[in-house]
């Protein structure tokens, strides 16, 4: 094998390693969000604890990805589509790390929330959680399959999440105005809903980045 062929093969292996790291991180983050949201709706402290503990593994993969990206940029000097894929990987894993942080915050607040008896339903929050998880799964599939259509679908799905968040916000404010005893638990629920909304935003950003990495075209409103 010539030196040029060896370089091409090594670069291909590094790109595959990058995709594997994103897939592994995506799976961890998806599970972390699922644990955190279930902890809220079921008031299960053990699930919340698992979600919090998983954050260290997410952070570790992001660090490994950054190190690999820096190495590839320094040694390979990639061009065009390859460069897009590498830069996208760094942006995507950074967004995933933020999603992990928001999931950890949701989990921590769910532990505090479990100390309160809630006099109202969490149906709206459960529906929002499902939408966020579905969209996160869709965008992670888009990354793994290099699928621009799935990325586009995930990008368009954020509006429904925002609508639900606004509805939950109004509902919780109403509860707080009607009964001062509900202010503390409702405040925690407001933060939880906001964290879920931010997870949705980051999933949208990942979808946008994935679409650009695959097609070379920017998504615009």
């Amino acid at each position: 094998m010539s030196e040029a062929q060896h370089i091409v093969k090594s670069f291909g292996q590094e790109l595959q390693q990058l995709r594997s790291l994103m897939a592994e991180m995506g799976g961890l983050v998806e599970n972390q969000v699922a644990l955190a949201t279930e902890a809220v709706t079921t008031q299960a402290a053990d699930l919340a604890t698992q979600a919090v503990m998983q954050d260290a593994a997410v952070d570790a993969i992001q660090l490994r990805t950054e190190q690999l990206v820096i190495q590839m940029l320094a040694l390979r000097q990639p061009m065009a589509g390859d460069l897009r894929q590498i830069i996208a990987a760094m942006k995507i894993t950074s967004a995933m790390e933020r999603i992990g942080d928001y999931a950890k915050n949701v989990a921590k607040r769910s532990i505090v929330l479990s100390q309160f008896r809630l006099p109202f339903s969490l149906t709206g929050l459960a529906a929002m959680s499902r939408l966020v998880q579905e969209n996160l799964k869709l965008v992670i599939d888009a990354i793994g399959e290099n699928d621009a259509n799935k990325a586009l679908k995930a990008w368009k799905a954020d509006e429904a999440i925002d609508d639900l968040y606004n509805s939950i916000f109004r509902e919780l404010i109403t509860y707080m105005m009607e009964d001062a005893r509900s202010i503390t638990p409702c405040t925690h629920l407001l933060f939880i809903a906001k964290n879920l909304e931010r997870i949705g935003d980051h999933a949208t950003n990942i979808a946008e980045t994935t679409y650009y990495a695959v097609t070379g075209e920017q998504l615009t409103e």
Side-chain angles (χ1 to χ4, degrees), residues 62-82:
Q62 190 206 7
L63 181 61
R64 284 166 59 197
T65 304
E66 282 184 357
Q67 290 170 340
L68 180 57
V69 165
I70 291 166
Q71 175 187 313
M72 292 174 77
L73 290 174
L75 299 180
R76 305 301 184 193
Q77 298 181 334
M79 305 288 286
D82 289 336

Side-chain angles (χ1 to χ4, degrees), residues 15-136:
L15 278 175
Q16 185 54 50
Q17 186 182 351
L18 207 51
R19 292 189 191 102
S20 296
L21 284 169
M22 283 194 290
E24 184 182 355
M25 192 174 185
L28 277 174
V29 166
E30 199 177 337
N31 183 244
Q32 193 180 10
V33 171
L35 288 169
T37 54
E38 190 177 347
V40 174
T41 54
T42 63
Q43 297 191 309
D46 58 326
L47 297 180
T49 302
Q50 288 178 51
V52 172
M53 290 177 66
Q54 210 161 292
D55 199 54
V58 173
D59 290 347
I61 296 177
Q62 190 206 7
L63 181 61
R64 284 166 59 197
T65 304
E66 282 184 357
Q67 290 170 340
L68 180 57
V69 165
I70 291 166
Q71 175 187 313
M72 292 174 77
L73 290 174
L75 299 180
R76 305 301 184 193
Q77 298 181 334
M79 305 288 286
D82 289 336
L83 181 60
R84 283 203 315 271
Q85 294 280 341
I86 293 168
I87 297 300
M90 191 155 64
K91 291 176 73 173
I92 286 167
T93 52
S94 176
M96 283 185 184
E97 190 273 336
R98 293 298 297 137
I99 288 173
D101 285 345
Y102 285 121
K104 180 175 70 175
N105 291 343
V106 168
K108 284 182 173 179
R109 286 193 182 272
S110 78
I111 293 171
V112 179
L113 195 64
S114 66
Q115 299 167 18
F116 295 89
R117 183 177 174 274
L118 303 179
F120 44 81
S121 169
L122 296 180
T123 305
L125 198 70
M128 186 180 178
S129 299
R130 281 195 301 274
L131 275 183
V132 168
Q133 288 180 74
E134 286 168 6
N135 207 31
L136 186 57

Side-chain angles (χ1 to χ4, degrees), residues 35 39 47-48 57 74 81 85 98 113 119 123 127 129 134 140 152 157 161 175 178 180 192 200 207-208 210 214:
L35 288 169
L47 297 180
Q85 294 280 341
R98 293 298 297 137
L113 195 64
T123 305
S129 299
E134 286 168 6
I140 289 168
L152 180 61
I161 293 170
Y175 287 135
E178 290 175 348
I192 287 168
E208 195 172 314
T210 303
V214 175

Side-chain angles (χ1 to χ4, degrees), residues 145-165:
E145 299 165 21
N146 252 14
D147 191 324
N149 289 327
K150 284 187 177 179
L152 180 61
K153 186 177 177 183
W155 184 73
K156 289 179 175 178
D158 192 53
E159 189 175 344
I161 293 170
D162 289 343
D163 288 345
L164 256 177
Y165 168 72

